[in-house]
Amino acid sequence: MLIRILSDRPAASSEITPQSIWLRRRDFLGAGAALGLGLAPAFAAPSPYSTDEKPNSLSDITGYNNFYEFGVDKSDPAARAGALKTKPWTLRIDGLVEKPADYALEDFLKPFALEERIYRMRCVEGWSMVIPWLGFPLAEALKRAKPTSAAKYVAFETLYRPEEMPGTRGFPRIIPWPYREGLRLDEAMHPLTLLAAGLYGAPLPNQNGAPLRLVVPWKYGFKGVKSIVRMTLVAEQPQTSWNMIASDEYGFFANVNPQVDHPRWSQATERRIGEGGFFAKRRPTLMFNGYDSVASLYSGMDLKANY
Ligand SMILES: Nc1nc2c(c(=O)[nH]1)N[C@H]1C(S)=C(S)[C@@H](COP(=O)(O)O)O[C@H]1N2
Ligand SMILES: [Mo]
């Protein structure tokens, strides 16, 4: 399924308007599926989970990134993540599961059908984008690993390979590497939560977290751990990088919430990347980034205390 949808080459921002080609290809594949040609179902119909908002351009998505392993500027990942070697890639699933394993990434991906999901993404810094991911629900991968009844959370780790990651070599260390994130098991099992292997119909560019990254659209972007090498099922809430650095600014839940300000700025509005210039109007930020179906995960919880 992967090879059927993905060419071997990541989307490159140097290509001429690849997003317009992508839009035409989607029409074409949709028509093909309607004719019973058995084309990739991912493109047969828009996912009910997708937003109908216009996706950001490929150059915005691949040129304005946070990936601190490659530097703290938004342009650093595009300039420096080319050094990251993503083949071969091993993914470990361990902890409280019946089937712990080290997978070669190709083997890990084989059972899953990639689906296109166009998601709104909101960074804690106050900007947002719309990104056409290619991925599959994390729940499917977790079910295969068979979490035991003791598993309550999933802990994620990014690759830590200083030779290829200039942002990890300096002092002071910005982040206690490897970059770590976590989800409560019910959040991890929610159908909106994706493991993404691609965007705009092609494999993930390195700066977006190749070869596999997490996407949780109702949470601030920092929960979306990139270039994952390990997922561990655990009983206790795991440590997460931003929570370790500044727990008063970045909580474990990190649900998008316009009513809970960051201690240093308001979260009530956001700037959509690619929209107008300096005077472009900011948009109101929506509770759970507009993904209301997740509200039941938090019923009875004080979302001001659990930010
Ligand atoms: N390993 C790692 N993952 C990371 C980050 C990072 O610095 N390192 N930054 C996070 C933040 S703050 C955001 S907003 C998103 C950005 O993803 P994108 O560059 O694909 O838009 O990645 C998240 N995942
Ligand atoms: Mo972010």
Side-chain angles (χ1 to χ4, degrees), residues 3-4 7 12 28 32 48 62 65 88 97 113 126 207 255 261 297 307:
I3 6 167
R4 216 147 102 208
S7 77
F28 169 75
T62 59
N65 305 100
V97 291
Q207 58 266 42
N255 291 322
D261 289 341
L297 297 176
Y307 54 86

Side-chain angles (χ1 to χ4, degrees), residues 79-132:
R80 298 160 128 193
L84 176 67
K85 288 197 196 73
T86 58
K87 277 178 193 169
W89 193 270
T90 306
L91 174 69
R92 170 169 294 183
I93 302 185
D94 63 355
L96 302 171
V97 291
E98 285 174 32
K99 295 184 167 178
D102 284 317
Y103 293 95
L105 189 72
E106 313 78 77
D107 297 337
F108 171 74
L109 290 176
K110 250 174 222 156
F112 309 115
L114 295 184
E115 177 186 338
E116 178 167 83
R117 296 277 189 95
I118 306 173
Y119 279 170
R120 271 189 304 279
M121 307 300 298
R122 171 62 154 80
C123 178
V124 73
E125 295 163 0
W127 48 269
S128 63
M129 289 202 212
V130 174
I131 302 185

Side-chain angles (χ1 to χ4, degrees), residues 66 74 122-127 179 220-223 242:
N66 277 330
K74 298 286 178 283
R122 171 62 154 80
C123 178
V124 73
E125 295 163 0
W127 48 269
Y179 192 100
Y220 291 116
F222 66 85
K223 298 297 284 185
W242 288 104

